[in-house]
Structures are given as C-alpha cells and as structure tokens.
C-alpha cells in the first residue's frame, strides 16, 4: 500500500485546512488509518485515527473538537479537516495505514507541511 498525502500549506491562526491521503490500493475494508504529525525538534505525535468502516474515530486531546477525520472508501481517501488552526499545529503531517489484524502502522505517506502563522 502506498499513501500520498497532500493539502498542506501556509495559513493564519484561526483558518481551516483539509488534508487528503490517497491510498494506492483499496484500504477501506482492511485498513485502519491514522494521521500523525512532527513539529521541528519534536517527536512524531498521534493526531487521530479512523477505523476501517469509518464508524469510529479517536483524537489527541490537543486537536479534539477542532480536527475531524473522515474517509471515502470509494476513493481510497482519508481526510483530515483542521479548523481553528493554531501556531502550535505547525508540523509535517503524515498519514499511515494499519492492517486491521496488525498492531503497527506499517504504511506511511511522505508527509505534507502545515504552517500556521500567528
């Protein structure tokens, strides 16, 4: 499975941005998907995840209520809608896939830069 993340950019605090992650193969029925991010000088951190059916999501406390993950299985695409962006959201955002029978996110996209100015 290859993942291609896109949609990053430079925005101002309070703005919204939507990231997309397109999979090279059908992931809807066999993969859970996640978004993670890594800010300069910091470790990669969990942002949120969605299960293979799209019926369940989970978010880091830092983004809860502002970010929403959704998926379109017909398009093999997962989205990260980011609202009320803050400068501390600045990071490279990665999407990742985990087989439903697996324990780790084995497949990763290349990352897309999000920069939020104050």
């Amino acid at each position: 499975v290859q993942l291609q993340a896109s949609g990053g950019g430079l925005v101002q605090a309070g703005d919204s941005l939507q990231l997309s992650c397109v999979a090279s193969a059908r992931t809807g029925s066999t993969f859970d998907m996640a978004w993670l991010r890594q800010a300069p000088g910091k470790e990669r951190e969990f942002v949120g995840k969605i299960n293979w059916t799209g019926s369940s999501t989970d978010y880091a406390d830092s983004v809860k209520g502002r970010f929403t993950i959704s998926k379109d299985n017909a398009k093999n695409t997962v989205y990260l809608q980011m609202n009320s962006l803050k400068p501390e959201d600045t990071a490279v955002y990665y999407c990742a896939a985990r087989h439903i029978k697996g324990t780790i996110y084995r497949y990763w996209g290349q990352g897309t830069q999000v920069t939020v100015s104050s």
Side-chain angles (χ1 to χ4, degrees):
V1 177
Q2 292 183 325
L3 304 175
Q4 180 76 34
S6 63
L10 172 63
V11 298
Q12 292 185 334
D15 285 351
S16 297
L17 202 60
Q18 186 182 65
L19 306 184
S20 299
C21 175
V22 181
S24 62
R26 295 183 64 180
T27 57
S29 62
T30 54
F31 288 88
D32 297 328
M33 304 294 293
W35 286 95
L36 299 93
R37 66 186 182 185
Q38 187 167 19
K42 295 186 178 181
E43 294 186 352
R44 192 172 296 183
E45 65 173 356
F46 170 80
V47 174
K49 63 181 180 180
I50 187 167
N51 71 337
W52 66 277
T53 64
S55 62
S56 176
T57 55
D58 188 28
Y59 300 94
D61 287 344
S62 59
V63 306
K64 199 169 293 184
R66 299 188 297 121
F67 290 12
T68 302
I69 297 176
S70 61
K71 63 185 320 196
D72 185 335
N73 288 337
K75 297 182 178 180
N76 296 327
T77 302
V78 177
Y79 304 97
L80 178 64
Q81 177 65 42
M82 305 184 292
N83 298 328
S84 302
L85 282 162
K86 304 176 181 180
E88 50 263 45
D89 294 318
T90 295
V92 177
Y93 283 71
Y94 299 89
C95 59
R98 176 184 67 187
H99 193 273
I100 56 175
K101 295 184 179 181
T103 58
I104 63 172
Y105 288 93
R106 186 177 301 277
Y107 306 97
W108 291 78
Q110 85 288 2
T112 184
Q113 176 71 47
V114 173
T115 303
V116 184
S117 64
S118 57

